[in-house]
Amino acid sequence: MNPTEIYDALAEIAAAPFDPNEFPFTFAEATDAAKAAISKLRGSTNKSDLPGGVLFNRKFHYAPALAGLTNVTLEQLRASKKTQASKPAILIATDGETVAAEHPTSGDTLHCRFDEIGDNFGFFLPAAGKERYRAVEENPIDVKATGRLARLYDALIKANPDWATEARRHEMNQLMMRLIFCMFAEDVGIFPDKQFSRLIFTHAGNRGEEAQATIIAAFRAMNLPKGARDGLPFWTAELEYVNGGLFAGEIDAPSFDVVAFRYLREASGLNWREINPDIFGSMIQSVADPKQRAELGMHYTSVPNIMKVIGPLFLDDLDAQIHNAWDKPKGLQQVLDRLSGIRVFDPACGSGNFLVVSYRELRARETRVLERLQDVTANTQAPLFSAIPITHFYGIEIADFAAETAKLALFIAEYQANAAFAEVFGRRPAALPLKDAANIRTGNALREDWEQVCPPPVDGQEVFIAGNPPFLGSTYQSKEQKADLARVFAGHVSSFAAFDFVAAWFFKASQYIHGRQARAALVSTNSICQGYSVAALWPHILGDDLEIGFAHKDFKWRNNASANAAVICSIVGLRNVSKETKRLVSNGLDSAVENINAYLVGAPDAFVAGSNRSIFELPHMPRGNQPTEGGALILSPEERDDLVGRVPRAEKYIRRFMGSMEVVRGLDRYCLWIMDEGLAEASQISDIEDRIERSRQIRLAMKDAGGQKLASRPHQFRDILSPKEHAILVPRVTSERRPYLPVEKVGADVISSDLNQVLYDAPDWCIALIASRLHLVWIATVCGKLKSDFRYSNTLGWNTFPVPKFTDAQLEALSASAMNILKCRWSHYPKTIADLYDPEKMPDDLRAVHRENDELLETMYIGRPFRNDTERLEKLFKLYASRVKALGAKGGR
């Protein structure tokens, strides 16, 4: 066996967790075999400069360690000249009891028991020439710190299982926050250099046997002034008095085994000065949540996304005020006065990202204004200090660990802002003792009284509510979350069960800001600004006194992570009615508009409610047939051909069956279609009789009474709708990529499923309406979406679609236009709708006939084609509002 084969065998053994039921040898035998293999490697390829070591090409450098000194041997491996020259992928040291390993390139380390190597196989992949998966990193030190703290957290939990229980979770979270603060403080100068780690590692023992008592003593000391530490060990006298509540309350710590102690030592060795408080809070939050560790860096709201909220909410206005006052001392002082009165409140603050970025941005503007004020007044005296304390920042967070993290992140942000202030003005306040912390409350934001958390503004104060509350559709809400919605909406909104969870934050925000010097801007799933939610929710949010001051419509909320699953979101800014400009960002364009309605369109206010019939007297459009028979009456093309081949008379009971996929992709399916008068004859065909019986049994087994009732007519779908001559099918869900909505005209031989909306025997001009750009933008605006795809609703979309009063000649022209579209499509047979309406492959002649159809239809609305979608929607909403008003005057809808 050559060295490479031996190594590969070792790697395979090491990568697999040991299972005595699968391996025909004991763990001791495997260890002996590994030692023998290593011995052979030493003799054939050894390039190590350490006693007993093995350096194998660029893959690994291994050295044995004396008992309890794996960390010392690992340090020797790091310092080895052979390591520097050969650059192995991984360093490994073991004393037979524990293993210490490190990736020299990234600095990532692993400490575990020898028999846990298999459980950590991913860490050893570089030794086999394979790359470990790593998420995209915004700041490498943040990810490295989080990884090391996660290992420390896991090691402590493993050594102290009771600290993983709900009863001790808060103490565990506080321990991690306190450790992080101390490591940061000694690296940035809040503490003397390495004061905390030096004392801990001096008095905790070589293997961490005294770490528990040492950490408890240190934490207790930092909560007491230096002259009031009687009863504590003598060495605590030099520790700084911290205050600020960080070390208040009961102090406890878990015991440290050798692995946990080594991870603490490694975490202390990082340069915490480089930590980025903007995102570090969320990354630290993943320490206590193993589910989030698959992609460190994914679970935070990135700074660019935060700026989309707080920019138009208050920063842009501040910037304009600063610009206008740039040469005016009085105006600059007014800016400073305003800054001192601003409060920022995030009622779903998580680990504090919005608050940290808001604090940082306000402090930066304050420093800029103070510096400018010195210039324009020729005053060389440095300002006393900032008038923006972190006590002006408020949050509510349901998760204890996240709430503690938010407080710490703001402490860090404050220190860094003070350091930046000192660089400009040469002075800063004493870092210690800490003053009051940010006002972060651990609790359920939907049960808390927001006015108790963030007091309403008084004279000279402003409150800005900003955040990214949780999105959760009604289907996925727990009983507790549904109860929270009821707590918020009961007595105010009659129908709220279908609301997304985030709707409750918008409602509470509107109540808070009403009539006050306060505004709110929240991120939301786009579902609350479309479909049925608009008419049910937004009249209660806006009322007569609030308005949407700005909105960022339908964009993909992405973060800097490799999986980067996008959520379609909107940002909605609420304010009291004002004469100030309203701003709407849509499709990448930032526009000033006269009004922003609840659909986030620059158009008059309107709340489009579903209607069972068209309020503009268009033909009736019901949904297609719902089978409700478990597939018993549906046939594939092969099943249809087989049945007809064996029993030709069965063909009279079979019809083409089309759902949305059949319309769009040209697929074939069939169904049994049997009227009551033909049942006896159809039942004589055994295959049909078997399917009817299967349908009956499936329906009898259904839980709902309606399904069971259908067992009395098992030969039919739940619905029995079919055309006399033709039908126009419109799929209920379609991709947003298509430039036009799919629509198909079929003959009387086709039965539509309930995945289509259907016009039965309707005039062809209806196709011209459905296939228009005008109709698409209406559907995209007022109907719901499935992710980013259009969801076509008959009651909300077709039955509310505004049309002018067409003349007969106009209807004839529209019918001819519809036929031109269909003929053009047929000329490209066998291409399907999916093929033809791919925006990158759409044939030129098809684009041309659609463009002609748009110009024809739009000219009937305003005498010319519309310039853009904004103009289209403005006209449609005006027509809708006018029609609803007219119907209301007549006493009907």
Side-chain angles (χ1 to χ4, degrees):
M1 176 178 276
N2 65 43
T4 301
E5 292 172 326
I6 295 171
Y7 169 76
D8 289 342
L10 282 172
E12 184 176 349
I13 292 171
F18 175 67
D19 185 343
N21 297 317
E22 294 186 10
F23 292 93
F25 44 77
T26 66
F27 186 83
E29 290 171 338
T31 303
D32 290 341
K35 289 178 179 177
I38 290 172
S39 178
K40 290 182 180 180
L41 280 172
R42 286 187 184 130
S44 58
T45 64
N46 186 19
K47 302 174 184 177
S48 176
D49 56 356
L50 297 180
V54 176
L55 174 58
F56 187 52
N57 296 331
R58 297 172 64 87
K59 294 185 176 178
F60 66 81
H61 194 178
Y62 158 82
L66 296 175
L69 297 177
T70 54
N71 58 324
V72 175
T73 303
L74 186 62
E75 182 58 40
Q76 292 174 342
L77 286 165
R78 291 190 193 105
S80 163
K81 292 182 179 179
K82 292 290 188 179
T83 295
Q84 304 300 322
S86 299
K87 295 181 172 56
I90 191 169
L91 308 177
I92 307 171
T94 181
D95 60 0
E97 178 186 349
T98 61
V99 175
E102 179 178 303
H103 298 153
T105 302
S106 66
D108 285 355
T109 58
L110 171 72
H111 296 280
C112 65
R113 295 199 312 269
F114 191 82
D115 59 0
E116 294 175 339
I117 291 177
D119 296 332
N120 296 281
F121 72 93
F123 195 88
F124 295 93
L125 286 176
K130 299 177 182 178
E131 289 293 326
R132 283 177 76 212
Y133 169 74
R134 294 183 64 83
V136 176
E137 302 168 2
E138 179 152 319
N139 181 2
I141 190 66
D142 294 325
V143 178
K144 186 181 292 185
T146 306
R148 292 189 181 181
L149 289 170
R151 295 190 188 103
L152 170 61
Y153 186 96
D154 289 345
L156 287 172
I157 291 298
K158 192 167 188 177
N160 304 267
D162 60 310
W163 280 69
T165 63
E166 194 63 36
R168 308 214 69 174
R169 187 180 303 278
H170 178 72
E171 291 175 284
M172 187 66 181
N173 294 344
Q174 281 195 320
L175 171 79
M176 299 302 294
M177 290 302 101
R178 288 163 174 165
L179 288 173
I180 293 165
F181 174 80
C182 290
M183 290 184 284
F184 175 80
E186 67 179 10
D187 277 359
V188 301
I190 297 177
F191 294 170
D193 187 39
K194 296 301 178 186
Q195 180 193 70
F196 174 77
S197 57
R198 173 175 53 80
L199 291 172
I200 294 298
F201 297 123
T202 297
H203 298 282
N206 290 334
R207 298 168 63 87
E209 58 270 21
E210 299 297 328
Q212 180 184 35
T214 303
I215 289 172
I216 290 173
F219 286 174
R220 286 177 177 170
M222 286 186 279
N223 196 49
L224 296 171
K226 287 192 173 184
R229 298 179 181 176
D230 294 343
L232 292 175
F234 73 93
W235 55 265
T236 63
E238 67 174 286
L239 286 167
E240 300 300 314
Y241 172 44
V242 175
N243 196 25
L246 194 60
F247 295 95
E250 191 67 27
I251 299 289
D252 199 359
S255 62
F256 282 68
D257 63 10
V258 63
V259 172
F261 191 60
R262 286 173 185 165
Y263 280 131
L264 176 61
R265 186 184 293 275
E266 290 192 350
S268 298
L270 286 173
N271 182 3
W272 289 78
R273 182 185 297 274
E274 300 175 15
I275 292 299
N276 176 6
D278 297 343
I279 67 169
F280 180 63
S282 289
M283 302 188 78
I284 291 299
Q285 192 178 342
S286 72
V287 167
D289 187 356
K291 294 178 182 178
Q292 293 191 16
R293 296 187 198 161
E295 272 210 57
L296 295 179
M298 180 175 179
H299 301 276
Y300 65 88
T301 306
S302 66
V303 175
N305 281 339
I306 292 171
M307 294 298 288
K308 291 175 183 174
V309 178
I310 65 175
L313 180 61
F314 59 87
L315 290 179
D316 293 348
D317 184 56
L318 275 169
D319 289 340
Q321 187 178 358
I322 292 170
H323 176 77
N324 293 333
W326 195 243
D327 297 316
K328 305 169 185 175
K330 184 177 180 181
L332 292 171
Q333 186 58 53
Q334 289 174 344
V335 174
L336 293 174
D337 293 341
R338 183 184 179 192
L339 285 167
S340 69
I342 288 177
R343 274 61 173 163
V344 180
F345 174 32
D346 183 349
C349 71
S351 50
N353 301 19
F354 276 83
L355 298 176
V356 166
V357 176
S358 296
Y359 175 80
R360 183 195 68 193
E361 294 294 327
L362 289 173
R363 284 291 303 272
R365 282 158 176 77
E366 181 190 45
T367 298
R368 181 172 168 232
V369 172
L370 286 169
E371 192 173 15
R372 178 59 180 170
L373 194 57
Q374 280 189 331
D375 293 340
V376 298
T377 60
N379 181 5
T380 59
Q381 184 176 355
L384 291 176
F385 196 58
S386 172
I388 307 174
I390 57 175
T391 53
H392 288 184
F393 294 78
Y394 302 79
I396 304 174
E397 171 52 40
I398 197 168
D400 173 79
F401 192 80
E404 294 298 322
T405 304
K407 294 177 185 177
L408 177 61
L410 279 160
F411 272 133
I412 293 174
E414 181 183 45
Y415 178 83
Q416 292 178 335
N418 291 348
F421 185 94
E423 288 181 5
V424 177
F425 301 111
R427 66 193 301 174
R428 71 170 95 180
L432 293 176
L434 295 176
K435 297 180 174 60
D436 293 334
N439 295 286
I440 310 297
R441 179 173 298 186
T442 302
N444 184 331
L446 301 187
R447 300 182 184 182
E448 295 282 348
D449 181 347
W450 289 12
E451 295 183 13
Q452 294 298 315
V453 177
C454 179
V458 295
D459 291 345
Q461 295 180 351
E462 300 171 86
V463 172
F464 296 103
I465 300 174
N468 182 10
F471 319 148
L472 201 62
S474 60
T475 304
Y476 306 102
Q477 293 164 11
S478 66
K479 290 182 179 179
E480 291 78 11
Q481 290 165 334
K482 290 183 182 297
D484 287 341
L485 283 182
R487 181 188 296 267
V488 172
F489 288 113
H492 301 282
V493 181
S494 59
S495 179
F496 55 81
F499 287 173
D500 190 284
F501 199 43
V502 74
W505 272 263
F506 276 89
F507 185 72
K508 286 184 70 93
S510 71
Q511 291 181 310
Y512 183 99
I513 71 173
H514 187 268
R516 294 174 173 152
Q517 281 295 105
R519 298 186 179 193
L522 300 173
V523 184
S524 168
T525 171
N526 60 0
S527 66
I528 71 166
C529 294
Q530 61 187 24
Y532 290 95
S533 294
V534 175
L537 172 65
W538 283 94
H540 303 282
I541 291 178
L542 298 177
D544 296 325
D545 303 314
L546 299 186
E547 65 182 7
I548 298 174
F550 77 91
H552 196 131
K553 183 182 180 183
D554 290 2
F555 65 98
K556 292 182 179 179
W557 185 265
R558 293 184 181 274
N559 288 317
N560 293 336
S562 59
N564 215 353
V567 179
I568 306 302
C569 294
S570 296
I571 298 169
V572 183
L574 302 176
R575 70 188 188 195
N576 290 279
V577 172
S578 167
K579 294 181 180 180
E580 295 177 32
T581 301
K582 300 178 179 70
R583 290 174 53 189
L584 175 63
V585 180
S586 182
N587 297 317
L589 298 177
D590 188 341
S591 306
V593 295
E594 291 185 8
N595 188 65
I596 302 174
N597 66 22
Y599 297 93
L600 306 188
V601 172
D605 286 329
F607 303 104
V608 179
S611 175
N612 291 329
R613 296 279 174 173
S614 170
I615 64 173
F616 289 89
E617 300 179 357
L618 296 174
H620 183 52
M621 178 187 279
R623 186 180 293 184
N625 298 279
Q626 182 173 320
T628 317
E629 38 61 89
L633 304 181
I634 298 173
L635 294 82
S636 67
E638 295 76 17
E639 290 171 328
R640 181 262 181 200
D641 292 345
D642 175 68
L643 177 56
V644 172
R646 291 185 291 103
V647 189
R649 70 179 187 278
E651 187 169 14
K652 65 186 291 188
Y653 303 109
I654 299 174
R655 304 274 281 273
R656 283 186 64 200
F657 184 58
M658 296 183 69
S660 59
M661 293 295 287
E662 286 73 26
V663 171
V664 173
R665 301 194 179 278
L667 305 179
D668 289 329
R669 263 199 312 172
Y670 298 88
C671 68
L672 295 178
W673 194 254
I674 305 169
M675 295 295 101
D676 291 341
E677 57 271 21
L679 177 60
E681 181 180 347
S683 298
Q684 294 175 8
I685 302 172
S686 61
D687 292 68
I688 292 179
E689 184 180 25
D690 290 345
R691 285 180 174 272
I692 293 173
E693 177 58 23
R694 195 187 340 151
S695 170
R696 189 177 74 84
Q697 294 299 330
I698 289 171
R699 288 173 172 176
L700 287 173
M702 290 180 178
K703 294 182 179 181
D704 66 287
Q708 294 174 2
K709 186 176 181 181
L710 291 174
S712 63
R713 51 180 185 92
H715 59 292
Q716 294 175 330
F717 288 171
R718 190 195 74 171
D719 307 302
I720 316 171
L721 299 172
S722 61
K724 296 178 181 178
E725 297 181 358
H726 67 267
I728 297 169
L729 311 185
V730 185
R732 288 171 53 200
V733 177
T734 184
S735 170
E736 68 167 353
R737 293 184 66 244
R738 297 190 183 105
Y740 295 95
L741 296 171
V743 57
E744 183 66 286
K745 182 179 181 180
V746 297
D749 62 323
V750 171
I751 301 300
S752 176
S753 85
D754 60 327
L755 296 180
N756 297 317
Q757 309 289 7
V758 188
L759 292 168
Y760 290 101
D761 301 302
D764 290 341
W765 53 260
C766 294
I767 297 172
L769 298 184
I770 297 166
S772 68
R773 178 72 189 177
L774 201 61
H775 194 59
L776 182 143
V777 297
W778 181 255
I779 296 299
T781 301
V782 305
C783 293
K785 283 188 178 181
L786 186 63
K787 295 183 180 179
S788 61
D789 294 338
F790 299 134
R791 179 179 290 171
Y792 194 102
S793 166
N794 52 356
T795 55
L796 268 180
W798 177 255
N799 289 347
T800 63
F801 181 54
V803 295
K805 187 68 175 178
F806 295 121
T807 65
D808 290 342
Q810 287 175 327
L811 294 176
E812 288 181 14
L814 289 172
S815 293
S817 182
M819 292 309 299
N820 288 339
I821 292 172
L822 295 178
K823 288 176 181 178
C824 185
R825 280 174 22 188
W826 295 334
S827 72
H828 290 279
Y829 180 84
K831 289 186 176 181
T832 65
I833 287 177
D835 298 328
L836 294 172
Y837 289 88
D838 182 324
E840 297 178 0
K841 301 176 182 178
M842 188 173 180
D844 291 341
D845 57 347
L846 185 57
R847 286 187 189 274
V849 293
H850 270 286
R851 186 166 55 249
E852 291 168 2
N853 183 69
D854 287 338
E855 292 173 354
L856 174 68
L857 176 62
E858 293 176 8
T859 299
M860 297 176 186
Y861 279 78
I862 61 171
R864 59 167 175 80
F866 292 104
R867 295 185 180 91
N868 50 44
D869 288 346
T870 299
E871 195 177 38
R872 291 183 178 94
L873 287 169
E874 287 176 355
K875 179 63 177 179
L876 291 174
F877 272 108
K878 286 178 181 177
L879 286 174
Y880 177 82
S882 176
R883 183 65 173 171
V884 169
K885 183 178 181 180
L887 289 172
K890 294 179 180 178
R893 272 287 306 266

